[in-house]
Amino acid sequence: MSSEQDKNSTEAPHNDGALFAPVDPFKVGIQGCCPRCGHGKLFDGLLSIKPRCSACNLDYAFADAGDGPAVFVILIVGFIVIGLVLWMQVNYAPPIWVYIVLFAPLTIILSLLSLRWCKGILIALQYRNNAAEGRISGD
Ligand SMILES: [Zn+2]
């Protein structure tokens, strides 16, 4: 690998030369904090991302988790809820309204909570690993 390729592969679009102690991406992701400093808030509301960190001024324009959080939430929450539904049907066989009253709110609450956590974790991992879309080199 040439020195030019080394330079391009380690250069992050959000690298402004600021030095911060490394933070645990899972901890800051679940807390919804900045992936660089760990202090400023990442989210503006439930799931929308703020334009930049209020503590270290990191531009969050790089943050694009795409469909990743939704895929994890669908698979994990779906596995938990369907497992509980099957277990309840086999052991108790309650009427259908019991499923609606119990599992509709459970599904919504688990999905919203884990979607926020997943999005925070994936953005923190994206920052830590300098992940970005592939680009064709101009060389
Ligand atoms: Zn920050």
Side-chain angles (χ1 to χ4, degrees):
M1 186 180 285
S2 71
S3 62
E4 183 67 27
Q5 287 174 328
D6 288 338
K7 181 185 171 208
N8 287 339
S9 64
T10 57
E11 189 174 323
H14 46 75
N15 188 2
D16 58 1
L19 296 176
F20 288 88
V23 296
D24 181 16
F26 293 95
K27 182 180 172 191
V28 297
I30 288 175
Q31 292 173 339
C33 294
C34 171
R36 180 165 71 176
C37 68
H39 296 293
K41 293 295 175 196
L42 178 66
F43 292 105
D44 185 18
L46 185 63
L47 289 173
S48 49
I49 305 293
K50 287 186 170 189
R52 56 185 52 248
C53 176
S54 59
C56 71
N57 211 26
L58 173 66
D59 187 5
Y60 290 149
F62 72 92
D64 182 18
D67 296 335
V71 169
F72 283 116
V73 166
I74 288 169
L75 292 176
I76 294 169
V77 172
F79 179 80
I80 291 170
V81 170
I82 295 302
L84 287 172
V85 166
L86 291 175
W87 174 81
M88 183 175 263
Q89 177 63 32
V90 168
N91 290 309
Y92 301 106
I96 192 75
W97 64 265
V98 173
Y99 293 108
I100 296 169
V101 168
L102 283 180
F103 293 110
L106 178 70
T107 303
I108 292 170
I109 291 168
L110 280 179
S111 297
L112 290 178
L113 263 180
S114 57
L115 193 58
R116 185 179 166 102
W117 292 343
C118 259
K119 192 169 184 177
I121 290 170
L122 287 179
I123 288 173
L125 287 171
Q126 182 183 9
Y127 175 80
R128 181 177 183 160
N129 298 309
N130 294 331
E133 286 185 32
R135 292 187 178 85
I136 298 174
S137 173
D139 298 339

